[in-house]
Amino acid sequence: MQRSFTILYTSLLGMCLGSSSSFPSNINIGGLFPTESHEYEVFRFALSHHQDIPKLVPQVDMVKMGNSFSMTYAFCSQFSKGVYAIIGLYDRKTVNMLMSFCGALHVCFVTPSFPIETANQFVIQLRPELQDALVGVIEHYGWTKFVYMYSSDSGLSVLQKVLDTAAERNWLVTSVNVETMTEASFLKVFQDLDKRKEGQIIIDCETERLTGILKKIVEQGKNAKSYHYILANLGFLDIDLTDLRKGGANITGFQLVNNSEPSISRVVQQWMEFDNKDSKVPKTGLKYTGALTYDGVKVMSTAFQNLRRQRIDISRRGNAGECLANPPAPWGQGIDIQRALQQVRIDGLTGHIQFNEKGRRTNYTVSVMELAPSGPKKVGYWNEDEKYVTTASFMRGSNDTYGLQNRTYIVTTILESPYVMLKKNHEQLVGNDKYEGYIVELAAEIAKHVGYQYKLKVVSDGKYGARDPETKMWNGMVGELVYGKADVAVAPLTITLVREEVIDFSKPFMSLGISIMIKKPTKSKPGVFSFLDPLAYEIWMCIVFAYIGVSVVLFLVSRFSPYEWHAEDYEEGGEPQSPTQASASNGVQQGQTAAQQNTNQQSPEQTNEFGIFNSLWFSLGAFMQQGCDISPRSLSGRIVGGVWWFFTLIIISSYTANLAAFLTVERMVSPIESAEDLAKQTEIAYGTLDAGSTKEFFRRSKIAVFEKMWSYMKAADPSVFVKTTDEGVMRVRKSKGKYAYLLESTMNEYIEQRKPCDTMKVGGNLDSKGYGIATPKGSPLRNPVNLAVLKLNEQGLLDKLKNKWWYDKGECGSGGGDSKDKTSALSLSNVAGVFYILIGGLGLAMLVALVEFCYKSRTESRRMKQSINDAMRCSTLTRMSGNGSGGENGRILTHDFPKTVQTLPCMSHTASMGLGASGM
């Protein structure tokens, strides 16, 4: 009996060993991976971890994704080599081809690629479907209006599910294909969201494309608290969200790999230590697609181990067949392998792994993550049974200002006088002590009021901040805030629309506007005839014509008016007394001759005092406010005199009022007074700071004058733009008045107060704006900083700081010093013209007197019938001896000599002297 049992046991053991020996010990599996892909490296790592019998032997072909021909050739090559199953990746261009081959040839294809809707049970899809979990999260947040940005690279199954749900529940969904989206359309999407005050966005892309989109979001400054993004991707921890976190954006995503599990952490650590000498790419952390590949190798190893235990013969004997045969010849054992793969139940890196009859993942759990201030946090999970379950351990935004005192903030600024300047001994100092200026003190006051520690950092490129039109990247201080290199910007940073779209500004701490700086022109002193300047040239000409006109009218009126004519009066028995003679004689009675008696019997002679010369003399005396001994007698003449006196009163008063200013003030003649003057000419070049708000103002302005100025500046050669304000000021000073610099009025006023005091501000401000303190979008510093600025303004500290750094430390005198007109004492050069006229008038009088003397002497010589020399000598002796006395206002008063004496020929010098004495 014992012998029979031994024989039976030996037979059964032989049968078992024979059956086991029929199952191959090495299983050839195919691999289709892109060149140097992360998934291929993990595939090699997974094979090194699964060395159990049967051993998996790889047959890998590196293929080009998106190339159907390359994929077809590789698939057929591996099928001809007799592989039992294939693991690899596909995309939307090759997925249909692979599905067709797998279904026709009964070859199982295990893939970590995106899941697809297919009835082909030979495709084992390792990646779980995400659409149900995404809908659950949308319902949890209560979204009814949102933008869905997707890429067709990962299929459209998730989008279709979301749109179907939106139709059922009346959601408003705006779908955008990121593959066809241009830079302009990308901006328009966010502009529309801003107008509608909405910020809910879902991004459904593979990790590589998703990273590029998030980078654009950061560049545009759309990573603020007002935006909420849901990343429809199973690798939330695989994405670098540092820049998004600095902006305070709300980010929600999904995580398939639970790195907190000890077993998973151990595998990840082994992966980081895995020595892959053949790899040409740097080692990175284990991504979720790599984890799916690792699980795929584990699923295949488990399936073949199960087949071996079940003693199922899957050996491939003979020719493997032609994959392109028509009709195709399916592999007989393919059904057994497909069934074994679908029946695998294990726990892998991506959680519980189980497949349904269609080869899709089922009974899986996806973690829901949010980006907290300290980093990614798990806030819930989703599975098929419980749907979405919240496990949040923190409240977003519950304490924005918590921890402000526990870190040192980076304050970016720019070296610009008087805002931030290096101290003279800055080389011996460190940290914030190296700097001084308005902004340095303002930053210290704000930090004291808010209660945080800070470190001043000068911007590396020396620019305020503008966006490059080609790269769309921000530079300067704005770029440092946008890209998370600084926490706050305390600088003379102008508040503008384009900057406000990407960063937040506080209330303005200083108001200003764009102004024009030119080189101060040389001061023009009053000229020799500067006393004529109070009245314009046209007025002086009108006065001359008025003077001549009034004199002529007075002459004509006197001629026509009978009241201006009067007869000469004679004393009885005496000589006739004309108005131009003396009224009485010395009492000596003269005998009347027959001729005189005959004259007394004739009618009196009519005379008129207002001849043309007397009229001119009257008008001149009235204009000079000196008066005259003759005056009009008629009403018409007095009317002319009255209006002329009124005219001269107003003219002289106006002239006197302006004379002092024109004689005592040294004036500067500026070639430019306004922006209109700049735009009208081309002799003086003008420009702005490159990459600043002033340049942006002219570029965006729709005002005709500013548009004309921008066209000139843009086309000017050489360029009129400067890199720094100091460069612009030096260009103004060295251009000899041929360059004008457009800059903020505050800086213009400051430079005007600094030596060598050779610049000046002309005209008014072209616009009105303000400087503000900037923070990244959604920064917890925004509100505290804003309140600090308001408090400093109410306390008057901002005005005190400006007076300290602008005027108290000015080098050109208070109130602008040399830049203003100043009054000084009159010098000889101021009134030299008056002396010239006086000297000229005296010389002219002497010349006229000489002419009159010569003319009179000639007349006397003819009358007396003597030579002109004797007549001139006689006249000279007579006048030098005092014979005859000058009257008033041109009247000649003759002495009471007898007519016979007055008409005698010229006597000798002695006789004339004696007669003159007796006449006296």
Side-chain angles (χ1 to χ4, degrees), residues 386-450:
E386 300 176 89
K387 304 303 179 184
Y388 180 72
V389 178
T390 301
T391 61
S393 57
F394 79 100
M395 294 298 293
R396 175 175 295 275
S398 58
N399 190 7
D400 289 340
T401 60
Y402 176 76
L404 288 180
Q405 298 85 0
N406 299 328
R407 58 166 292 195
T408 300
Y409 286 86
I410 302 298
V411 176
T412 181
T413 187
I414 189 170
L415 284 175
E416 194 81 80
S417 301
Y419 300 101
V420 179
M421 300 174 290
L422 288 171
K423 293 182 179 178
K424 294 181 179 180
N425 59 339
H426 65 91
E427 296 178 352
Q428 304 173 3
L429 304 174
V430 294
N432 300 341
D433 296 334
K434 296 189 299 182
Y435 307 102
E436 65 176 353
Y438 177 91
I439 288 297
V440 177
E441 295 190 15
L442 177 62
E445 290 292 337
I446 290 175
K448 182 173 68 175
H449 282 76
V450 176

Side-chain angles (χ1 to χ4, degrees), residues 95 109 253 305 326 382 479 485 538 690 718 720 725 742 769 807 860 862 891:
V95 60
F109 188 79
Q305 289 177 8
N326 190 12
W382 184 94
K485 298 180 181 179
E538 296 83 358
D690 198 8
V720 294
T725 300
L742 300 163
K769 52 191 174 184
Y807 304 110
E860 288 293 330
R862 289 180 179 179
R891 296 181 179 182

Side-chain angles (χ1 to χ4, degrees), residues 580-593:
T580 60
Q581 291 177 330
S583 59
S585 66
N586 58 3
V588 180
Q589 298 295 324
Q590 302 291 337
Q592 295 188 1
T593 64

